[in-house]
Amino acid sequence: LTDDYTTGPYKLKYRKLAMRLLLRIQKQFNDAKRNVELITVPELHAVRHEWLNDPNEPDWDDSLPQIVFAELGIHLE
C-alpha cells in the first residue's frame, strides 16, 4: 500500500445515490424529532460546485437541487 491510495473518483450516478441516502437518513432523524444535520447547506453548495466542475464527469443537469428538494423538500438556492 501507498499513502496516496484512493478509491475514487466515484461515478456521478453513485455520488447521487450516496447523497440521496444521506439526505434520507437526515430526514428520518428529523421526522423522529431529532434535530440532526448530517450535511449543511454550505456543504451542499460545495458539493454542487464540485459536481458541476468535475473534470471527468460534470453534472450537466445540475441535479443536486432536485435531489435536495425530492429528499428534504427544501429549495437549494
Side-chain angles (χ1 to χ4, degrees):
L1 285 178
T2 63
D3 290 340
D4 61 348
Y5 179 77
T6 182
T7 57
Y10 293 102
K11 293 194 172 285
L12 183 59
K13 72 178 191 176
Y14 294 111
R15 290 182 272 156
K16 289 179 182 181
L17 176 62
M19 181 60 70
R20 284 187 182 280
L21 291 172
L22 178 70
L23 295 175
R24 284 179 192 164
I25 292 167
Q26 180 171 309
K27 184 169 184 339
Q28 288 173 351
F29 275 117
N30 292 331
D31 288 348
K33 305 297 183 216
R34 296 181 178 161
N35 190 14
V36 174
E37 190 172 43
L38 300 176
I39 187 165
T40 66
V41 171
E43 289 169 333
L44 288 168
H45 284 294
V47 169
R48 183 181 187 190
H49 176 80
E50 292 300 320
W51 286 11
L52 290 170
N53 295 292
D54 186 301
N56 297 312
E57 191 179 14
D59 183 11
W60 296 114
D61 296 329
D62 191 17
S63 58
L64 191 61
Q66 294 92 344
I67 292 170
V68 171
F69 184 76
E71 299 302 333
L72 299 180
I74 62 172
H75 292 281
L76 191 64
E77 299 294 325

